[in-house]
Amino acid sequence: MPSDWSNDGRGAGRAAGRDLFVAPDVTGGRQAGLERALREAIRSGRLSAATRLPSSRALAADLGWARGTVAGAYGQLVAEGWLSARAGAGTVVAADQRRAAGSPPPAEAPAPRAPRYDLRAGNPDVGSFPRAAWAAALRRVLRDAPDEALRLGDPRGRLELRRALAAYLGRARGVAAAPERIVVCSGFTQALGLLAAVTSGAVAMEDPCLAVHREVVRAAGLPIVPLPVDEGGARVEHADGAAAAVVTPAHQVALGHTLAPERRARLVEWARATGGVVLEDDYDGEFRYDRQPVGALQALAPEHVAYAGTASKALAPALRLAWLVLPERLVEPVVEAKRLADHASPALEQLALADFVESGELDRHLRRARARYRRRRDALLTALAERAPAVEVLGIAAGLHVTLALPPGAPPEAEIRAAAAQRALALTGLARFWHDPAGRPPHLLLGYATPPDHAFAGAVERLASLLGDLMPAASRGS
Ligand SMILES: Cc1ncc(COP(=O)(O)O)c(C=O)c1O
């Protein structure tokens, strides 16, 4: 990236007041000292090609020198090829100057190119992020927020957002929420880390689950107990002996099941009996298509279940906004852990989300997103039924992805993903989700929300043709 992205023809004016750290040794005279200092800064890479320097007037004022001295140094360095000066563009570090000493700064590897067809699980369709409505919410916040909002505030987060979330979560997810029990976090990832920080003892985690979540718990120094998963969701009897259990009751993240009513009851009983904490990861609870929404487990036992929601699926993961609704006894330790982690999450974004929720924009966005994802899911299921009928599709009722259980004789996941990559199609395998992937049958997770609208049909066509080619002959569709 160029060091100045405001290359818009107005650069000279903007450059005029730019800060430049320079501490010339003036023993042999000011101008010569400034020339040496600038040469050295360019040679070492501290001033990179295309960096704009302040105007000679501004730098002279900063140094307390006559302008002619700085202008003389700039002129000399232009003549030597270190700097270039163009009318209207100010004085910039020349692109082709050769560094006499030192090695060039290491080039950052370019970001990998996004695959043309992306059905990896994990993202909403960020192309349909409600930019205009979000920008309007941010504008309102910047106009109306008191100056106090720009100071460090309550580590739990802005009261405006906690109030809006308490009302929204009660209404839309059946969570028993009060603003003082909510802690706004930097994504579920941080929420999990904060809870791990205040837990002593083993953490029971679904097997399969997101690998990064195991890493977060391990990084907190806690042992992990696997909770096997079947059609009824996590087998909660395996939590015995753990201090906490992390579950995805509405839509098991890897296999798509809903936690069965008797398991919900049993998990709550376990927490009540042992003093263990359940962390309910309601990451995609807003997206349910065919059946009545499944309410939050937390409502059954708010003093034993910590509820976690996130904006990562409902809006965009890059917002890094999530929320914990905590049992009373955990509020103080978690708030303290949050204070030590980063004091509080960014206030302006929190206020924008509060505005977004209260103005009804979140509900409007979710209704539109649900309709879009449902259409996509239906198209995907139709294509799979026609072209790969032996593949079992799991977790279709909710969320932004489905899971494919591949038939006996199917190639290993890695081979399927490599063959998909040859066709510019990116897929997620289940291997990394298992606590121990050895001997697990191949599965794929298909994120049907991931591609932008214009690429969705192409991605499904590629997937169907890939599975048609790779599945054992006896199991192929027409
Ligand atoms: C199971 C699960 N929980 C939570 C999240 C959200 O994490 P975060 O809020 O840190 O983006 C995801 C996102 O992919 C997820 O798959």
Side-chain angles (χ1 to χ4, degrees):
M1 194 191 273
S3 52
D4 181 1
W5 44 265
S6 64
N7 192 358
D8 57 7
R10 290 173 292 153
R14 290 198 181 181
R18 250 154 224 274
D19 278 350
L20 174 70
F21 169 75
V22 65
D25 169 2
V26 296
T27 348
R30 287 178 170 177
Q31 179 174 327
L34 179 58
E35 288 167 20
R36 268 197 311 277
L38 288 174
R39 263 187 226 104
E40 184 45 36
I42 295 169
R43 198 184 280 129
S44 70
R46 182 166 74 77
L47 290 178
S48 55
T51 299
R52 272 173 212 207
L53 300 189
S55 68
S56 53
R57 183 193 303 277
L59 183 55
D62 285 350
L63 293 170
W65 294 359
R67 181 182 177 190
T69 310
V70 175
Y74 279 10
Q76 178 59 33
L77 294 180
V78 168
E80 292 175 16
W82 295 96
L83 298 179
S84 67
R86 262 170 292 129
T91 305
V92 301
V93 175
D96 62 350
Q97 46 77 25
R98 294 156 301 279
R99 293 196 173 90
S103 47
E108 200 177 322
R113 278 185 42 182
R116 178 123 184 251
Y117 299 102
D118 193 352
L119 286 175
R120 284 175 297 185
N123 276 293
D125 173 8
V126 289
S128 62
F129 179 79
R131 288 178 186 239
W134 187 258
L138 269 175
R139 263 197 308 277
R140 282 192 292 274
V141 163
L142 285 167
R143 191 189 59 206
D144 300 337
D147 286 349
E148 156 276 314
L150 296 168
R151 297 203 183 101
L152 282 183
D154 190 329
R156 285 177 295 186
R158 292 294 305 182
L159 182 57
E160 295 91 329
L161 177 58
R162 291 185 284 117
R163 280 192 181 133
L165 284 173
Y168 169 76
L169 293 172
R171 163 169 68 78
R173 299 295 302 125
V175 177
E180 59 279 10
R181 299 272 193 101
I182 294 179
V183 177
V184 179
C185 303
S186 205
F188 175 79
T189 313
Q190 184 182 52
L192 177 60
L194 297 180
L195 267 186
V198 303
T199 300
S200 4
V203 178
M205 301 186 78
E206 293 172 332
D207 184 11
C209 69
L210 222 57
V212 68
H213 292 172
R214 292 195 300 272
E215 289 170 37
V216 168
V217 171
R218 243 181 249 124
L222 303 179
I224 294 172
V225 176
L227 278 184
V229 171
D230 63 18
E231 302 71 46
R235 288 175 45 202
V236 295
E237 67 275 18
H238 290 261
D240 286 348
V246 184
V247 287
T248 47
H251 187 222
Q252 206 283 324
V253 63
L255 296 175
H257 308 298
T258 305
L259 191 64
E262 67 279 8
R263 301 251 174 106
R264 287 161 68 96
R266 192 141 176 209
L267 193 52
V268 166
E269 265 165 39
W270 166 82
R272 284 206 175 102
T274 64
V277 178
V278 176
L279 174 55
E280 174 176 23
D281 176 7
D282 195 34
Y283 65 107
D284 65 4
E286 296 87 355
F287 298 100
R288 185 135 208 116
Y289 307 109
D290 300 326
R291 284 188 274 141
Q292 281 288 6
V294 179
L297 172 70
Q298 183 263 7
L300 298 181
E303 295 308 335
H304 300 277
V305 180
Y307 171 91
T310 175
S312 289
K313 310 286 185 192
L315 284 164
L319 289 178
R320 305 315 297 140
L321 282 173
W323 38 91
L324 276 169
V325 184
L326 293 164
E328 188 175 8
R329 73 193 145 105
L330 287 180
V331 173
E332 207 184 302
V334 169
V335 169
E336 181 58 5
K338 172 69 179 169
R339 188 181 70 81
L340 294 178
D342 58 6
H343 195 97
S345 291
L348 297 178
E349 281 73 11
Q350 290 187 58
L351 290 171
L353 182 58
D355 177 289
F356 211 71
V357 173
E358 287 197 322
S359 63
E361 284 297 346
L362 180 65
D363 286 275
R364 273 191 285 285
H365 169 69
L366 286 173
R367 258 197 304 281
R368 282 193 299 267
R370 249 180 242 126
R372 180 181 319 109
Y373 295 152
R374 185 195 187 115
R375 278 195 303 278
R376 289 184 180 199
R377 181 205 62 164
D378 291 348
L380 174 64
L381 295 181
T382 304
L384 289 170
E386 283 170 6
R387 313 266 293 274
V391 165
E392 189 187 358
V393 191
L394 309 171
I396 63 174
L400 309 184
H401 64 274
V402 293
T403 301
L404 304 189
L406 304 178
E413 275 174 29
E415 219 170 277
I416 299 175
R417 291 178 52 233
Q422 295 285 324
R423 303 179 192 208
L425 173 66
L427 299 175
T428 302
L430 203 58
R432 277 174 49 74
F433 288 68
W434 300 107
H435 292 224
D436 176 4
R440 300 288 187 178
H443 289 76
L444 297 173
L445 260 69
L446 302 179
Y448 48 84
T450 307
D453 259 344
H454 64 83
F456 180 70
V460 170
E461 172 52 38
R462 271 166 201 250
L463 172 77
S465 108
L466 174 82
L467 293 177
D469 291 349
L470 289 186
M471 289 307 108
S475 63
R476 271 181 221 145
S478 49

